[in-house]
Amino acid sequence: MNILITGVNGFIGQRLVEKLVQNHSVIGMGRSPLGGDESFTFIQGSFHETEDLHQLDGIPIDVVVHLAAVTGGSDEESALAVNVQGTRRLYRYLLDRGCSRFITASSIAATGSLHDDFMPLELPIPEDHPCLAKDAYGLSKAMVEDLTRYFHRMSPGADFINLRLGAVATDGKWTAPVMDDPPSLSVPFIQFGHVYVSDVVDGLIKIINAPPKDRVITCNFVGPDVSASVPSLSLLRSLLGDQAAVYDLSHFDDAKNQYKPLYRMDRLVEEFGFMPKKSFRST
């Protein structure tokens, strides 16, 4: 396949290219030169700039893995102009040139989980949890997911896959903080939804190689267990306080789910047969 990767300079992009070039033709797009790597076609430019996109004219593209974005902490102007309008421009360009598979790096921040006062509607948090974001980044990621649903309605037969990635961590260089049990804390939900970059890359390769379908789906993509040193139920009771009684937390009462993530990943398993493997627990 001919695979376009945006954000090829980034944390995930560089690692993904290293593996994909072994079996596919890769076109990488990024803002900074990569130092003469000749294993793939490099396009220097920004995905959200029309003149930069035209550098792709004449290059066949079967799949795009859209990783580039302005990240957490961005203001409304940047988040909406780059993440939303820029993605619209990129996807319209690719659709008009025959690309039919779109793998989009969304974020669990699309739920609103960047804020301390975020209260999910359901636990574990489902893949289609609506946007309750109070930050521009989370809002922009939810809007991009809506954009893919719009494009799917306009382009029957196309395959749109939105991956709500957790906080991506470097393998071996991040471990869950040690906490008392029960913990006493007030922190955003997103802090307990980490995933190691090696799992992200392995999952992306599995998804890229899966048979295409006529669909638009959103999948949570976090680590295989909660990124905390205490059981999930204890953690949730601390995070939610008196509000814990509002939720059905029986999922975490089951012994086999004692340390399971706060985000459901049923769809990732059902659609692609993939489950992240690398645990954040030391035992």
Side-chain angles (χ1 to χ4, degrees), residues 212-225:
K213 294 183 180 180
D214 178 358
R215 66 185 163 192
V216 55
I217 60 170
T218 299
C219 305
N220 286 336
F221 196 143
V222 296
D225 48 31

PDB file of all heavy atoms in Angstrom, residues 212-225:
ATOM      1  N   PRO A 212     -10.203  -3.325   4.562  1.00  0.00           N
ATOM      2  CA  PRO A 212     -11.024  -2.098   4.637  1.00  0.00           C
ATOM      3  C   PRO A 212     -12.505  -2.433   4.679  1.00  0.00           C
ATOM      4  O   PRO A 212     -12.939  -3.463   4.175  1.00  0.00           O
ATOM      5  CB  PRO A 212     -10.658  -1.356   3.347  1.00  0.00           C
ATOM      6  CG  PRO A 212     -10.180  -2.411   2.411  1.00  0.00           C
ATOM      7  CD  PRO A 212      -9.523  -3.457   3.262  1.00  0.00           C
ATOM      8  N   LYS A 213     -13.273  -1.544   5.296  1.00  0.00           N
ATOM      9  CA  LYS A 213     -14.719  -1.692   5.372  1.00  0.00           C
ATOM     10  C   LYS A 213     -15.372  -0.344   5.075  1.00  0.00           C
ATOM     11  O   LYS A 213     -14.729   0.710   5.160  1.00  0.00           O
ATOM     12  CB  LYS A 213     -15.165  -2.168   6.759  1.00  0.00           C
ATOM     13  CG  LYS A 213     -14.715  -3.560   7.135  1.00  0.00           C
ATOM     14  CD  LYS A 213     -15.286  -3.942   8.506  1.00  0.00           C
ATOM     15  CE  LYS A 213     -14.862  -5.348   8.925  1.00  0.00           C
ATOM     16  NZ  LYS A 213     -15.427  -5.703  10.263  1.00  0.00           N
ATOM     17  N   ASP A 214     -16.649  -0.404   4.775  1.00  0.00           N
ATOM     18  CA  ASP A 214     -17.460   0.809   4.636  1.00  0.00           C
ATOM     19  C   ASP A 214     -17.945   1.165   6.034  1.00  0.00           C
ATOM     20  O   ASP A 214     -18.894   0.558   6.547  1.00  0.00           O
ATOM     21  CB  ASP A 214     -18.626   0.523   3.690  1.00  0.00           C
ATOM     22  CG  ASP A 214     -19.553   1.724   3.516  1.00  0.00           C
ATOM     23  OD1 ASP A 214     -19.314   2.759   4.155  1.00  0.00           O
ATOM     24  OD2 ASP A 214     -20.526   1.603   2.751  1.00  0.00           O
ATOM     25  N   ARG A 215     -17.283   2.131   6.679  1.00  0.00           N
ATOM     26  CA  ARG A 215     -17.612   2.404   8.090  1.00  0.00           C
ATOM     27  C   ARG A 215     -17.030   3.733   8.542  1.00  0.00           C
ATOM     28  O   ARG A 215     -16.129   4.298   7.927  1.00  0.00           O
ATOM     29  CB  ARG A 215     -17.047   1.300   8.982  1.00  0.00           C
ATOM     30  CG  ARG A 215     -15.530   1.264   8.986  1.00  0.00           C
ATOM     31  CD  ARG A 215     -14.956   0.110   9.766  1.00  0.00           C
ATOM     32  NE  ARG A 215     -13.553  -0.083   9.381  1.00  0.00           N
ATOM     33  CZ  ARG A 215     -12.841  -1.139   9.715  1.00  0.00           C
ATOM     34  NH1 ARG A 215     -13.365  -2.122  10.426  1.00  0.00           N
ATOM     35  NH2 ARG A 215     -11.580  -1.244   9.326  1.00  0.00           N
ATOM     36  N   VAL A 216     -17.528   4.184   9.666  1.00  0.00           N
ATOM     37  CA  VAL A 216     -16.884   5.224  10.448  1.00  0.00           C
ATOM     38  C   VAL A 216     -17.031   4.786  11.901  1.00  0.00           C
ATOM     39  O   VAL A 216     -18.145   4.567  12.377  1.00  0.00           O
ATOM     40  CB  VAL A 216     -17.481   6.626  10.190  1.00  0.00           C
ATOM     41  CG1 VAL A 216     -18.989   6.667  10.416  1.00  0.00           C
ATOM     42  CG2 VAL A 216     -16.781   7.669  11.052  1.00  0.00           C
ATOM     43  N   ILE A 217     -15.903   4.597  12.574  1.00  0.00           N
ATOM     44  CA  ILE A 217     -15.930   4.120  13.954  1.00  0.00           C
ATOM     45  C   ILE A 217     -14.938   4.912  14.804  1.00  0.00           C
ATOM     46  O   ILE A 217     -13.986   5.487  14.290  1.00  0.00           O
ATOM     47  CB  ILE A 217     -15.599   2.612  14.069  1.00  0.00           C
ATOM     48  CG1 ILE A 217     -14.200   2.316  13.509  1.00  0.00           C
ATOM     49  CG2 ILE A 217     -16.656   1.762  13.404  1.00  0.00           C
ATOM     50  CD1 ILE A 217     -13.731   0.904  13.805  1.00  0.00           C
ATOM     51  N   THR A 218     -15.209   4.898  16.100  1.00  0.00           N
ATOM     52  CA  THR A 218     -14.311   5.507  17.073  1.00  0.00           C
ATOM     53  C   THR A 218     -13.942   4.455  18.105  1.00  0.00           C
ATOM     54  O   THR A 218     -14.819   3.767  18.631  1.00  0.00           O
ATOM     55  CB  THR A 218     -14.980   6.715  17.752  1.00  0.00           C
ATOM     56  OG1 THR A 218     -15.298   7.696  16.752  1.00  0.00           O
ATOM     57  CG2 THR A 218     -14.060   7.339  18.789  1.00  0.00           C
ATOM     58  N   CYS A 219     -12.632   4.321  18.368  1.00  0.00           N
ATOM     59  CA  CYS A 219     -12.135   3.317  19.315  1.00  0.00           C
ATOM     60  C   CYS A 219     -11.297   3.995  20.388  1.00  0.00           C
ATOM     61  O   CYS A 219     -10.407   4.791  20.073  1.00  0.00           O
ATOM     62  CB  CYS A 219     -11.254   2.286  18.599  1.00  0.00           C
ATOM     63  SG  CYS A 219     -11.988   1.458  17.190  1.00  0.00           S
ATOM     64  N   ASN A 220     -11.542   3.653  21.647  1.00  0.00           N
ATOM     65  CA  ASN A 220     -10.616   4.036  22.710  1.00  0.00           C
ATOM     66  C   ASN A 220      -9.338   3.221  22.557  1.00  0.00           C
ATOM     67  O   ASN A 220      -9.373   2.046  22.170  1.00  0.00           O
ATOM     68  CB  ASN A 220     -11.221   3.769  24.086  1.00  0.00           C
ATOM     69  CG  ASN A 220     -12.294   4.761  24.466  1.00  0.00           C
ATOM     70  OD1 ASN A 220     -12.320   5.884  23.969  1.00  0.00           O
ATOM     71  ND2 ASN A 220     -13.202   4.354  25.344  1.00  0.00           N
ATOM     72  N   PHE A 221      -8.191   3.830  22.901  1.00  0.00           N
ATOM     73  CA  PHE A 221      -6.911   3.149  22.738  1.00  0.00           C
ATOM     74  C   PHE A 221      -5.999   3.580  23.888  1.00  0.00           C
ATOM     75  O   PHE A 221      -5.259   4.548  23.781  1.00  0.00           O
ATOM     76  CB  PHE A 221      -6.301   3.519  21.389  1.00  0.00           C
ATOM     77  CG  PHE A 221      -5.178   2.631  20.916  1.00  0.00           C
ATOM     78  CD1 PHE A 221      -5.058   2.324  19.570  1.00  0.00           C
ATOM     79  CD2 PHE A 221      -4.221   2.128  21.786  1.00  0.00           C
ATOM     80  CE1 PHE A 221      -4.028   1.523  19.097  1.00  0.00           C
ATOM     81  CE2 PHE A 221      -3.187   1.331  21.344  1.00  0.00           C
ATOM     82  CZ  PHE A 221      -3.085   1.023  19.986  1.00  0.00           C
ATOM     83  N   VAL A 222      -6.095   2.862  24.993  1.00  0.00           N
ATOM     84  CA  VAL A 222      -5.262   3.130  26.162  1.00  0.00           C
ATOM     85  C   VAL A 222      -4.506   1.847  26.511  1.00  0.00           C
ATOM     86  O   VAL A 222      -4.583   0.861  25.790  1.00  0.00           O
ATOM     87  CB  VAL A 222      -6.115   3.612  27.365  1.00  0.00           C
ATOM     88  CG1 VAL A 222      -6.785   4.934  27.047  1.00  0.00           C
ATOM     89  CG2 VAL A 222      -7.154   2.576  27.768  1.00  0.00           C
ATOM     90  N   GLY A 223      -3.774   1.863  27.621  1.00  0.00           N
ATOM     91  CA  GLY A 223      -3.036   0.680  28.027  1.00  0.00           C
ATOM     92  C   GLY A 223      -3.962  -0.425  28.499  1.00  0.00           C
ATOM     93  O   GLY A 223      -5.158  -0.214  28.708  1.00  0.00           O
ATOM     94  N   PRO A 224      -3.420  -1.646  28.703  1.00  0.00           N
ATOM     95  CA  PRO A 224      -4.250  -2.792  29.064  1.00  0.00           C
ATOM     96  C   PRO A 224      -4.759  -2.753  30.500  1.00  0.00           C
ATOM     97  O   PRO A 224      -5.618  -3.542  30.881  1.00  0.00           O
ATOM     98  CB  PRO A 224      -3.312  -3.986  28.862  1.00  0.00           C
ATOM     99  CG  PRO A 224      -1.948  -3.428  29.105  1.00  0.00           C
ATOM    100  CD  PRO A 224      -1.994  -2.022  28.547  1.00  0.00           C
ATOM    101  N   ASP A 225      -4.223  -1.830  31.300  1.00  0.00           N
ATOM    102  CA  ASP A 225      -4.695  -1.676  32.676  1.00  0.00           C
ATOM    103  C   ASP A 225      -4.648  -0.201  33.046  1.00  0.00           C
ATOM    104  O   ASP A 225      -4.084   0.624  32.332  1.00  0.00           O
ATOM    105  CB  ASP A 225      -3.872  -2.530  33.654  1.00  0.00           C
ATOM    106  CG  ASP A 225      -2.372  -2.375  33.449  1.00  0.00           C
ATOM    107  OD1 ASP A 225      -1.941  -1.278  33.029  1.00  0.00           O
ATOM    108  OD2 ASP A 225      -1.631  -3.340  33.682  1.00  0.00           O
TER     109      ASP A 225
END
